[in-house]
Amino acid sequence: MVDPNDQKKRQDFEDQQNELAGRETGRMTRFGVGAALAQELKEKERKERAYRDALDRLLATDPEYRRLYEELGGRLGKAETAADQTIDAIQDALRAQQDANQDMRDRAPRVDGKAIFRYADGRVVDEDSNEIDATIAAGIIWPEDAPSAEDYFAGVERENALWTALDEWQAYRDVTLGGIRDSYDDRDNPMTKDDMQKALQDIAVTAPSNPLAQSSEHLASAPLQASAVAVPSLAD
């Protein structure tokens, strides 16, 4: 037979534990300290739920953190847009330069299947810069619109520079900005203030040079003009 006193003790103990934990028992609270603690726990849980994650807590409680976070978000978004636009512009310029170089090869005379070009000083070379024997060079018939060696190799140099710039800008977008974006969007492991300061600096100082941001006089003699492509900027 169950002792009523033991049963009451067990019930009291269970009610006290439930009240300490903030759990509802369906009965009036009977332990003053437990009730106060339960209320405190409920209030704490309510405040915790107000913050979805660690980042929300920092943004809500640290004005300086919020300022840096918003500044970084703005700068990062602009840098990503500018990088995408620059890559598109470089690709357009690269296609135009490749077409121009091919056009010069098509208009040049050929020896052994390779386009031949002549420098102003009379030297004759093929499209790979190999000098042509003087006897062979003397028998070449030069079309009136044959491009000069200076023009052709300037075009080749520009094409190579555009390939290099494309690689650099894609790495900047995917590695530098992509890494910052991953950290910025990690709400459960938010960036520190130092992290954000460094990210702002990296955005500003690690962007590659833009080969399109130069005057037309530096462009190769091809149907590509400085105004033919947009020149995006990372400036605010």
Side-chain angles (χ1 to χ4, degrees), residues 10 20 23-24 97 110 122 146-147 167 171 216 219-221 230-231:
R10 284 196 299 272
L20 286 171
R23 295 188 291 266
E24 294 293 340
Q97 190 64 58
R110 289 184 173 269
D167 288 341
S216 59
L219 300 178
S221 58
V231 183

Side-chain angles (χ1 to χ4, degrees), residues 45-61:
E45 288 177 1
R46 185 191 67 78
K47 290 181 178 179
E48 288 293 330
R49 286 195 299 270
Y51 304 126
R52 291 185 301 161
D53 45 43
L55 178 60
D56 263 0
R57 185 178 296 106
L58 285 168
L59 293 174
T61 59

